[in-house]
Amino acid sequence: MTASWNRIPRVEHAAEVPLARRGRALPETPRPLLAHGLGRSYGDVCLNPGASLLHTSGLDRFIAFDPATGILRAEAGLSLDALLRFAIPRGWFPPVVPGTRCVTLGGAVANDVHGKNHHQAGSFGDHVLGLTLRRSDGQVLEVTPEERPGWFAATVGGLGLTGLIETVTLQLAPVRSAWMHAWSQRFTSLDEFWDLNTRSERDWPYTVAWIDCLNPGRDGRVGRGIYSAARHANLARHSATWREPRRSIPLDPPLSLVNRLTLRAFNHLYYRQPVHATPRAIHHQPWLFPLDAIRHWNRIYGHKGFYQYQCVLPPADAKEGVQTLLDTIAASGQGSFLAVLKTFGTRPAPGMLSFPRPGATLALDFPEKGRATERLFARLDAIVQECGGALYPAKDARMPAPMFRTGFPRWEAFADYVDPEFSSGFWRRVTA
Ligand SMILES: Cc1cc2nc3c(=O)[nH]c(=O)nc-3n(C[C@H](O)[C@H](O)[C@H](O)COP(=O)(O)OP(=O)(O)OC[C@H]3O[C@@H](n4cnc5c(N)ncnc54)[C@H](O)[C@@H]3O)c2cc1C
């Protein structure tokens, strides 16, 4: 049985093939095929039930790097973790990173991932200069935004469906060290969040807010939280050293450790943690990848797993829509300590199916509670659709097919680029 990060669904594959060398024909295993990076997606976008998975983490070689320009070419199975270890001592940093560094370049391209700097830097695909795409008919396409714009727009955010990405050429961003300058501040209502966010986004390239999704704020409604902002530190060296703590959840608890009681208490304590309104130096790892410090943290939900619900709401409806979503979640008593709110910038997304678009994105984890969770999601879906929003395929195990089609109106044009011998559980579900 194979599952992705949230452990829903668990599926059987006909074959799981580790790829070790680029430039080889696709393996003769049962069709359809699907590339699989480090499985950090939630849901079935990286799963291919009954068919074949091609594991790419062995395709992890650096191919070329120009230290003067920061242009890097590497195999698509290279992890951001390895890239960070290589690039930072040379004064470079991935231009966009998601909330974990345990993802591959191929996975970052295929989901066109976004980071806390989307409002300034756009998404991962905005920094991809080119890629090599292996198709099942034996063609190997050199794809750049200039030379093959259609293939580029289909493959960036293309959910692994246009073929196997073998290499990625990426423009890195200059940094002076592994450190950042960051500050944080409590807000007592969503109105305060919006004010703080408007004031901070121009000067701070990375911004994000944690939301207490259970306890009400000063206005009596759910929406209090902690706002954080950061930028790369302008220090060549930093006197402090940093070693990531090695914590781990060793095994599955018999029941989810996340329930109404633990959640309310945790959120209360988390909200009261010390905040630092004056910027201070912090290593990039705890700021950008806080969850990477706890190995197997996904086990806290027990063997039944959990869902992540991540939506984006367009600017006109974002304020009202986010409040309505939070009120609905609070009334249900479900939700998690991981509740993140962030605004996207206005840069048009590079991919036909890219998730980032202008507006606000809200992401929450929910323990799997059967019908109760389904009913809650149906209510949340209705709010998102009424606002003209969309759900993130990388974080989805259950969105109804019509919701995918309205949220990603270019899906039919995209379908022309899908490799006839590639597919995924997600794709079959949303196009059935
Ligand atoms: C703790 C945590 C925090 C996260 N935070 C964020 C965030 O802030 N922003 C965000 O956008 N995402 C976030 N994610 C989601 C994650 O960044 C994406 O799901 C990412 O795509 C996972 O990469 P992966 O290498 O694990 O790919 P997988 O999950 O294995 O696969 C993802 C997709 O990429 C395709 N793919 C992988 N390799 C190739 C290849 N070589 N060729 C063709 N297709 C390929 C797969 O077919 C699949 O469709 C987070 C996930 C976790 C666990």
Side-chain angles (χ1 to χ4, degrees), residues 4-5 34-42 45-47 56 59 76-77 97-100 102-116 133 158-161 163-166 291-292 297 308 310 338 392 394-395 422 424:
S4 58
W5 188 246
L34 183 71
H36 183 95
L38 288 170
R40 276 345 190 249
S41 301
Y42 298 61
V45 82
C46 62
L47 301 175
T56 62
L59 286 181
V97 292
T100 171
C102 305
V103 305
T104 62
L105 292 180
V109 172
N111 276 325
D112 191 18
V113 300
H114 57 271
K116 298 175 179 71
L133 184 68
L159 313 177
L161 298 164
L164 173 70
I165 303 168
E166 284 194 335
L291 288 167
D292 286 350
W297 66 261
Q308 184 161 114
Q310 181 166 2
L338 209 160
Y392 190 7
K395 308 279 184 74
F422 277 66
S424 67

Side-chain angles (χ1 to χ4, degrees), residues 153-345:
T155 302
V156 169
L159 313 177
L161 298 164
T162 61
L164 173 70
I165 303 168
E166 284 194 335
T167 71
V168 177
T169 306
L170 186 65
Q171 174 67 65
L172 302 180
V175 288
R176 300 202 69 197
S177 74
W179 291 76
M180 305 185 85
H181 271 130
W183 58 269
S184 53
Q185 188 176 320
R186 268 187 279 278
F187 52 89
T188 63
S189 67
L190 274 189
D191 281 344
E192 260 183 54
F193 160 81
W194 293 110
D195 282 352
L196 203 47
N197 194 53
T198 308
R199 278 188 276 123
S200 312
E201 277 197 336
R202 208 193 50 210
D203 294 335
W204 293 87
Y206 295 89
T207 62
V208 69
W210 168 81
I211 302 275
D212 179 347
C213 63
L214 277 189
N215 300 298
R218 190 177 289 162
D219 60 359
R221 297 182 81 176
V222 176
R224 70 178 194 175
I226 297 176
Y227 190 88
S228 312
R231 61 166 71 103
H232 290 284
N234 194 19
L235 301 166
R237 266 171 212 281
H238 197 275
S239 52
T241 52
W242 160 259
R243 179 172 297 179
E244 189 168 59
R246 293 223 150 262
R247 300 191 203 102
S248 176
I249 307 288
L251 37 88
D252 283 344
L255 291 173
S256 168
L257 300 180
V258 182
N259 56 49
R260 204 179 177 124
L261 216 65
T262 56
L263 191 55
R264 202 178 277 281
F266 175 90
N267 280 9
H268 206 71
L269 287 175
Y270 195 82
Y271 181 68
R272 294 278 155 219
Q273 69 176 286
V275 290
H276 304 271
T278 311
R280 62 179 187 137
I282 179 169
H283 193 269
H284 74 277
Q285 285 182 0
W287 204 87
L288 289 171
F289 313 119
L291 288 167
D292 286 350
I294 308 171
R295 292 185 65 220
H296 307 298
W297 66 261
N298 52 345
R299 288 180 177 159
I300 61 171
Y301 292 92
H303 69 278
K304 280 165 93 177
F306 63 106
Y307 292 95
Q308 184 161 114
Y309 192 91
Q310 181 166 2
C311 61
V312 56
L313 305 182
D317 290 303
K319 288 189 182 174
E320 199 47 46
V322 169
Q323 185 69 67
T324 312
L325 287 169
L326 289 175
D327 289 344
T328 307
I329 292 162
S332 78
Q334 300 184 57
S336 74
F337 58 85
L338 209 160
V340 174
L341 179 59
K342 148 120 208 96
T343 45
F344 284 143

